Amino acid sequence: MTKLSIITVNLNDAEGLQKTLDSVWSRQTYSDMEQIVIDGASSDGSVEVIKKYSDKLAYWTSEPDSGIYNAMNKGIAKAKGDYLLFLNSGDWLEDDILAKIFPCRTHEDIIYADYNNISDGGKKERVKMPDEITLPWLLLHSLGHPSTFIKREIISGKGYREEYRIISDWAFWIEELIKNGRSSRHIDMAATNYNLQGISAQKENQKKITAEKERFLSETFGARYDMARVWRSINAIDIISKHRPELLLSSEKLQRKLRQYFKLLIKFTAARQPQR
């Protein structure tokens, strides 16, 4: 079987943590797994919840950290599984989903499934992932972090880049799937229920997210990127090419946008370093 390490990060969310741990230990039949809980010195009863499951956990700690990715990196350092899953406090697995995803050993570097967004009112909305991850798609979207399984050997030792406070998992997808050409596979099932109260889902953080993405792209690929302009260009070309292809062929403005878009693709392609 494929050994799985589930890493759960928590800070003052005892109720969410209970739901997360219950989904792992009461609602799965898959047995070849371990769970690691990294708590950021919570003061709300989270530690008491952890202690209830301590005999099932491979490792847990409750101590201050410098941010969510610092906490995740602590978990990575302790993990021993073939694949890692980051299932944060407040998110929960679909019933018996792990046995469906890992019926036998697998070899891809990154395995990603769909996920359900859960709103404040409890409304569930499935978010579908594409079968193939491309640069244009990643510039507009991201994989679901709590529904993506990462081969430990490609993240162990380096972890997430902690200088990016909110988008480090998105930066990891860009670097590994696009720049380094890692292999991937889509699982056409919703694996996880994602609590929309997470930091990256909060509207007040959208400007910070955009700024971090622009900084990452500029530092990684050696040019300045205006994410708003990139998004507008890709969206316009995508919509028009699907519904009004004659406009794409006849409009000088759209042709100019198309040229800008291809220049962006060329910069990424030139920076790509294939794995040997």
Side-chain angles (χ1 to χ4, degrees), residues 2-225:
T2 299
K3 186 174 180 62
L4 176 65
S5 295
I6 300 176
I7 297 172
T8 298
V9 171
N10 176 74
L11 178 62
N12 289 326
D13 185 13
E15 182 179 352
L17 181 60
Q18 174 67 53
K19 195 166 193 174
T20 302
L21 295 177
D22 181 69
S23 78
V24 174
W25 296 107
S26 299
R27 300 179 182 276
Q28 306 299 317
T29 60
Y30 195 80
S31 60
D32 197 3
M33 63 179 180
E34 64 175 12
Q35 188 167 24
I36 294 163
V37 178
I38 308 296
D39 179 75
S42 292
S43 58
D44 72 334
S46 292
V47 173
E48 285 69 26
V49 173
I50 296 171
K51 286 180 177 178
K52 288 196 309 183
Y53 290 86
S54 61
D55 62 328
K56 300 179 183 297
L57 302 178
Y59 174 83
W60 72 272
T61 187
S62 182
E63 62 186 16
D65 55 61
S66 59
I68 189 169
Y69 293 111
N70 176 247
M72 289 179 180
N73 284 341
K74 290 181 181 181
I76 292 170
K78 297 294 183 179
K80 295 180 173 61
D82 301 307
Y83 285 85
L84 310 185
L85 174 68
F86 295 89
L87 187 70
N88 287 343
S89 180
D91 302 334
W92 67 97
L93 294 171
E94 285 284 279
D95 290 356
D96 208 25
I97 190 65
L98 298 179
K100 298 173 185 175
I101 291 176
F102 294 105
C104 57
R105 292 195 66 83
T106 187
H107 65 276
E108 292 87 359
D109 295 317
I110 295 175
I111 299 170
Y112 60 98
D114 302 339
Y115 62 94
N116 297 315
N117 275 336
I118 309 297
S119 65
D120 285 343
K123 182 180 178 181
K124 179 184 289 189
E125 180 183 3
R126 182 170 170 178
V127 179
K128 290 275 292 179
M129 298 288 104
D131 288 333
E132 182 181 1
I133 301 299
T134 63
L135 171 62
W137 187 87
L138 268 180
L139 289 174
L140 294 172
H141 309 284
S142 184
L143 295 178
H145 203 188
S147 62
T148 300
F149 304 82
I150 304 167
K151 190 178 283 187
R152 181 167 60 91
E153 66 187 46
I154 73 171
I155 194 170
S156 180
K158 63 178 180 179
Y160 288 113
R161 296 174 61 173
E162 295 179 25
E163 67 268 31
Y164 300 111
R165 306 284 292 179
I166 307 177
I167 60 94
S168 193
D169 53 307
W170 176 84
F172 180 81
W173 313 139
I174 293 279
E175 288 185 321
E176 297 303 327
L177 290 171
I178 304 303
K179 187 176 178 182
N180 293 334
R182 300 289 187 181
S183 61
S184 64
R185 176 164 57 95
H186 175 221
I187 303 294
D188 190 16
M189 293 184 286
T192 308
N193 296 285
Y194 173 59
N195 183 352
L196 284 173
Q197 299 306 302
I199 184 172
S200 62
Q202 296 171 11
K203 289 183 178 179
E204 60 266 29
N205 286 321
Q206 293 310 304
K207 288 185 178 179
K208 295 178 183 177
I209 290 171
T210 298
E212 284 198 1
K213 286 185 174 182
E214 289 175 348
R215 180 160 63 93
F216 165 75
L217 292 174
S218 299
E219 291 175 353
T220 303
F221 298 103
R224 187 182 182 282
Y225 294 91

